[in-house]
Amino acid sequence: MKQTIPFDEMDRLFESMRRSMLGGSWMAGDTNLRLEATDDGYLVHADLPGFESDELDVRFDDGVLTIDAVHEVEDDDRSRSRRIHESVRVGADVHIEEIEAEYHNGVLEVRLPVDEDHDGGHRIDVN
């Protein structure tokens, strides 16, 4: 069952605005970053064609998954690079030790398992 992630559309809008303000020199194409809920957590897909797996830096810190990638090409008389920076906030308790990532045929998949028993907060009784 696919769930709608709150503020997902707003995050995409802000990301689009950020890209247009920074211009094409920082972003070279859309990664089509997608976050979807699964039965055991979340699955993140990012289209990153043209990169090698050792050019990817994937981190999860303080509820945010960040993907940085740099591909540099040097010709005889010039060099050029392609850089990607993407991030997505995950509003759940992720089991950090169990995060898995695979990169195959230009597609990065990151599995973010969550604590199924945790309801996302702690109830506080008011006297």
Side-chain angles (χ1 to χ4, degrees):
M1 172 185 234
K2 188 173 179 180
Q3 297 176 344
T4 302
I5 307 302
F7 304 110
D8 197 23
E9 188 62 34
M10 190 182 322
D11 285 344
R12 278 194 283 271
L13 177 63
F14 282 125
E15 181 64 22
S16 176
M17 289 171 29
R18 182 178 65 85
R19 286 181 185 164
S20 66
M21 286 187 283
L22 291 175
S25 61
W26 174 246
M27 296 292 170
D30 186 11
T31 64
N32 197 20
L33 185 72
R34 301 169 306 282
L35 173 69
E36 64 182 66
T38 64
D39 291 338
D40 61 346
Y42 294 95
L43 181 62
V44 175
H45 293 270
D47 297 331
L48 300 166
F51 290 96
E52 299 295 327
S53 60
D54 63 346
E55 296 173 325
L56 305 177
D57 183 20
V58 181
R59 297 175 183 266
F60 187 81
D61 185 38
D62 199 25
V64 177
L65 178 72
T66 303
I67 302 166
D68 287 305
V70 178
H71 179 74
E72 296 188 19
V73 177
E74 292 187 26
D75 294 335
D76 293 333
D77 57 346
R78 65 182 178 146
S79 65
R80 59 186 188 271
S81 64
R82 178 175 178 227
R83 298 174 185 272
I84 298 291
H85 174 83
E86 293 282 357
S87 62
V88 63
R89 178 167 294 284
V90 179
D93 288 332
V94 173
H95 291 290
I96 295 173
E97 301 82 23
E98 297 177 19
I99 295 174
E100 296 177 352
E102 286 186 28
Y103 181 68
H104 186 68
N105 290 335
V107 178
L108 175 67
E109 289 187 355
V110 182
R111 296 186 186 286
L112 303 165
V114 299
D115 185 357
E116 294 175 9
D117 296 329
H118 194 277
D119 63 2
H122 176 74
R123 171 125 172 83
I124 300 171
D125 293 324
V126 179
N127 296 322

